[in-house]
Amino acid sequence: MSPKLFQRFGFAPHTRVLVAVSGGVDSMVLLNLAVKAADLDVVVATFDHRLRPESQQEQAFVVAAAQQLQVPVVTGQWRRSDGQPTSEAAARQARYAFLAATAAEQHAEVVMTAHHADDQLETILFRLARSGDPAALIGIRADRAWHGRRLVRPLLPYSKAMIRSYADQHNVRFCEDSSNADPHYARNQLRHQVIPAFKKQNTQLLAHIQTFTMEQTGLLALAEAQLAEWLQRLQVDDATVNWRAASSQPEAVQRLLLKKILQQWHPNVDRQLLSPVLASLSGTKERRFDLGGGISIAVQSEQIVCLTRQAPVKPVTFTKLDQQHRTSRGIFSLQTSVAADKGTPVRVKLPITLRTRQAGDVVQLPNGVIQKLRRFLINTKIPAYQRDQLLVLARGHQVFWVEGQPLERLSAIDQTDILHVVLVKSPDVDTSEDKS
């Protein structure tokens, strides 16, 4: 381990780097190596989480060390509001927010942290236990884009034992964090109880983890390229997928494809949905599944349709022509004449109500037959997932017009006082549903 370890990152001469230093052995060794690298302009950032009585003294120790090394140092503290959580995740979020802000203030192109090979092993085991998501098992990346800068972990190839050995050989002083021995923290349980047993079984465990994460990263990159190709093949449009081409693939492949497709509509897909959705794709009866956040899917006959829940339309009644009503889907009016492409021809009898369908609604067909609206929508091949969203014009339960259906498919029951007018929708949308 030497300052040459930075060469693999290809830093330009005099790259300004912000080194995150807690005072522990890992970050103090990283700082020692960084200041010895001729082409790096080092700035130290140290953050006090204020979770332990000794944390203030540890920050003072880092400040003194930076001053002795003659490098700039920036300090920060976690200023929590009353009731703010103090979990490991919240502390990490606060720390990285400080690092991002400090890097911007100091014009640092690179932020460095002291994660090492043992941290990588802990992270892989932790993520495997928590989710089993293959994408999470690439572990900690040695170099990645972050807030317009680079976030690098130069010590990632090295074990904790190697870092401690370097500190002993080069007289690097450091602080011992007492919380690292606290068994209440889940990571410490892995560190002190589980991982030693694994290492006892195979002394090459850390090397194997390094190989695993590298190859896992490559496999995921190849898989993402293949998934993107399949997505183009299956996607009919932004909201519709034809599953037929994928139906002959192994179930494991289908699950990956389905997860990728659903994630484009909702980023956090419940994996428990995958099996029932796949089973429903071969059925002829429509089934719906809620993805959350107002998004659902309709699945039937090897087709998946994404449904965005529209705001419900409060019924509004027209009592005269040119009267405007504002709804969650726009401003509607009935007019006698407009430009040909500005509205929808309808036959109505005033007063008449604009709404969505209700139980008991009926239509009259051109042959005089009275038919339930539900049956009419089925016969005209309106997908089930669209039926509850369609607008209608109705008097009581007599429907005069159905959204998307031409006039010749319906006939008004009472031909007396029938008006031939145009339903106009303006582009303005107001979700308040105030009626003008």
Side-chain angles (χ1 to χ4, degrees), residues 64-112:
Q67 291 173 343
Q68 185 176 359
L69 293 169
Q70 298 183 335
V71 294
V73 58
V74 181
T75 62
Q77 286 187 332
W78 191 9
R79 304 190 182 279
R80 298 183 297 278
S81 58
D82 292 341
Q84 186 175 355
T86 58
S87 63
E88 289 181 84
R92 181 184 183 280
Q93 185 177 6
R95 179 172 68 254
Y96 274 88
F98 163 73
L99 291 176
T102 304
E105 292 169 2
Q106 296 295 318
H107 304 287
E109 303 166 56
V110 177
V111 175
M112 289 184 181

Side-chain angles (χ1 to χ4, degrees), residues 101-163:
T102 304
E105 292 169 2
Q106 296 295 318
H107 304 287
E109 303 166 56
V110 177
V111 175
M112 289 184 181
T113 67
H115 292 87
H116 48 74
D118 288 84
D119 290 326
Q120 183 74 287
L121 174 57
E122 291 171 11
T123 299
I124 293 295
L125 292 176
F126 222 122
R127 292 180 180 177
L128 181 62
R130 282 186 168 180
S131 73
D133 184 353
L137 299 184
I138 61 174
I140 304 168
R141 284 178 282 182
D143 188 358
R144 69 181 180 92
W146 184 71
H147 291 277
R149 291 167 173 78
R150 291 171 67 184
L151 178 60
V152 302
R153 280 74 177 237
L155 302 184
L156 209 53
Y158 303 97
S159 68
K160 182 80 169 186
M162 295 172 71
I163 292 170

Side-chain angles (χ1 to χ4, degrees), residues 11 18 24 34 43 84 96 108 128 153 161 200 229 234 247 263 282 327 333 336-337 340 343 361 408:
F11 296 137
L18 184 74
V43 178
Q84 186 175 355
Y96 274 88
L128 181 62
R153 280 74 177 237
K200 187 176 180 180
E229 290 182 13
L234 300 175
S247 61
Q263 281 177 333
S282 59
T327 76
S333 63
T336 53
S337 62
D361 283 348
E408 55 267 23

Side-chain angles (χ1 to χ4, degrees), residues 102-378:
T102 304
E105 292 169 2
Q106 296 295 318
H107 304 287
E109 303 166 56
V110 177
V111 175
M112 289 184 181
T113 67
H115 292 87
H116 48 74
D118 288 84
D119 290 326
Q120 183 74 287
L121 174 57
E122 291 171 11
T123 299
I124 293 295
L125 292 176
F126 222 122
R127 292 180 180 177
L128 181 62
R130 282 186 168 180
S131 73
D133 184 353
L137 299 184
I138 61 174
I140 304 168
R141 284 178 282 182
D143 188 358
R144 69 181 180 92
W146 184 71
H147 291 277
R149 291 167 173 78
R150 291 171 67 184
L151 178 60
V152 302
R153 280 74 177 237
L155 302 184
L156 209 53
Y158 303 97
S159 68
K160 182 80 169 186
M162 295 172 71
I163 292 170
R164 282 193 173 273
S165 176
Y166 179 95
D168 291 341
Q169 293 174 15
H170 295 83
N171 298 315
V172 177
R173 296 175 59 238
F174 58 88
C175 304
E176 289 285 3
D177 184 346
S178 59
S179 67
N180 287 334
D182 188 342
H184 290 95
Y185 292 109
R187 188 173 286 270
N188 287 342
Q189 294 173 17
L190 273 177
R191 183 176 298 163
H192 301 300
Q193 300 172 21
V194 178
I195 289 177
F198 273 112
K199 286 183 175 179
K200 187 176 180 180
Q201 291 295 321
N202 194 318
T203 58
Q204 296 301 307
L205 179 61
L206 293 181
H208 293 165
I209 285 294
Q210 294 288 338
T211 301
F212 171 80
T213 54
M214 182 179 297
E215 295 191 2
Q216 178 76 349
T217 301
L219 288 171
L220 283 172
L222 289 173
E224 282 297 317
Q226 285 290 308
L227 286 169
E229 290 182 13
W230 268 103
L231 198 60
Q232 288 186 337
R233 184 177 176 185
L234 300 175
Q235 200 108 24
V236 177
D237 54 43
D238 289 343
T240 310
V241 168
N242 186 328
W243 193 255
R244 183 165 299 171
S247 61
S248 60
Q249 295 296 311
E251 182 181 352
V253 173
Q254 291 192 51
R255 289 177 68 89
L256 284 175
L257 287 171
L258 180 59
K259 181 181 176 183
K260 182 70 174 179
I261 286 167
L262 298 185
Q263 281 177 333
Q264 69 180 334
W265 297 324
H266 194 287
N268 300 314
V269 175
D270 184 352
R271 279 178 289 178
Q272 293 185 357
L273 285 178
L274 299 181
S275 292
V277 170
L278 284 174
S280 300
L281 279 163
S282 59
T284 56
K285 185 178 180 180
E286 180 189 287
R287 288 192 63 188
R288 294 193 186 187
F289 299 89
D290 185 14
L291 301 185
I295 306 295
S296 60
I297 56 171
V299 182
Q300 182 182 19
S301 302
E302 297 185 325
Q303 182 171 277
I304 306 172
V305 178
C306 177
L307 311 174
T308 301
R309 189 176 303 148
Q310 298 189 54
V313 174
K314 182 180 178 181
V316 293
T317 300
F318 296 96
T319 58
K320 59 184 178 180
L321 298 181
D322 298 323
Q323 184 180 17
Q324 289 190 339
H325 286 290
R326 181 165 289 154
T327 76
S328 60
R329 297 200 204 169
I331 301 173
F332 290 89
S333 63
L334 291 174
Q335 300 181 22
T336 53
S337 62
V338 293
D341 60 344
K342 296 299 183 181
T344 302
V346 295
R347 289 193 298 260
V348 299
K349 184 176 180 179
L350 299 178
I352 197 159
T353 300
L354 179 72
R355 57 172 173 79
T356 52
R357 69 172 179 164
Q358 296 176 355
D361 283 348
V362 297
V363 296
Q364 178 169 301
L365 305 181
N367 61 5
V369 172
I370 304 299
Q371 188 176 73
K372 290 183 178 180
L373 177 60
R374 175 178 174 276
R375 174 50 55 187
F376 173 80
L377 296 176
I378 292 172

